[in-house]
Amino acid sequence: MADITVRKIRFSFEEPFSFEVTDAQLGEMLPPLALSMTMPYLEPYLIRTMRTALEHITDPVLAEDVRRFSQQESHHYRNHALLNDQIRGQFEDAAADALRAIEADLEADYQRFTKTKSLRFNVAYAEGFEAMTCSFALAMAEHGGFATAEMFPGGEIWAWHMAEEIEHRTVAFDVFQHLVGSYPYRVVFGTWAQYHYLSYIRRFARCMADSLGYELTRPRGEMHRTTLRRYLRTWSPRYDPAKVDVPDCVEGLLARYSAMVAASG
Ligand SMILES: [Fe+2]
Ligand SMILES: [Fe+2]
């Protein structure tokens, strides 16, 4: 059984933020902001998928992991929805409307996937998304990136979310193995899922960049190379997220957020 703790946290997002930063800082800010914009649509879709998967899961231990996974994702997207209100509020009306239009497209895609696609497709999508974002979260942790992430708009939401993504990293993979178990299917549809998801990250980021008169550049640097290295390993037939090395700082962060919940009563 995965060791997954559900932490009911709500961040306040009262800290104002500004886009009056250097081009380099803006280049670092926009991808996470784009990621945040997808969360209130992506994570409910994952939860719907897992709710259907639960009807077919015969392993009670995995079923409990799935319930906790869904509860964690639920707290994630509720916080991101609050952050996204703040993000939209930073833009002119036309740009905020353009962001809302992309959000509507994404929601329509995910509702369509839930209604018309097979469970194996939706489970492969979930696993493709989780494998990719966990690679990113692990690379951030490896490079002390959680401290950097606190400088993004939204502050601590990033460290909390990424740490919990690492904590529940085995669940979508285990569900896929339990219900589908086909390596070629995982590669084909997991890659498609990542392409689909990243196309929306690009749309959101480009919309924000255009409104700010900024030209998007490709991410570079050591952390991005580590992300790529970890991501490529997820395509091995021997890949198992239970066996990936997790940087020491993650445990401390999870303890920090458990304590935060306990302190809030
Ligand atoms: Fe999440
Ligand atoms: Fe997740």
Side-chain angles (χ1 to χ4, degrees), residues 42-43 46 69 72-73 76 129-130 133 161 164-166 168-169:
L42 178 276
E43 292 187 313
L46 299 182
F69 169 97
Q72 283 196 337
E73 299 293 29
H76 296 167
F129 171 79
E130 290 283 312
T133 44
H161 193 167
E164 289 197 350
E165 289 301 315
I166 294 170
H168 73 217
R169 69 190 179 281

Side-chain angles (χ1 to χ4, degrees), residues 208-226:
M208 292 184 206
D210 287 351
S211 164
L212 297 167
Y214 172 78
E215 194 146 335
L216 280 180
T217 50
R218 278 190 174 277
R220 288 190 192 87
E222 198 56 41
M223 197 189 91
H224 295 288
R225 279 191 286 278
T226 304

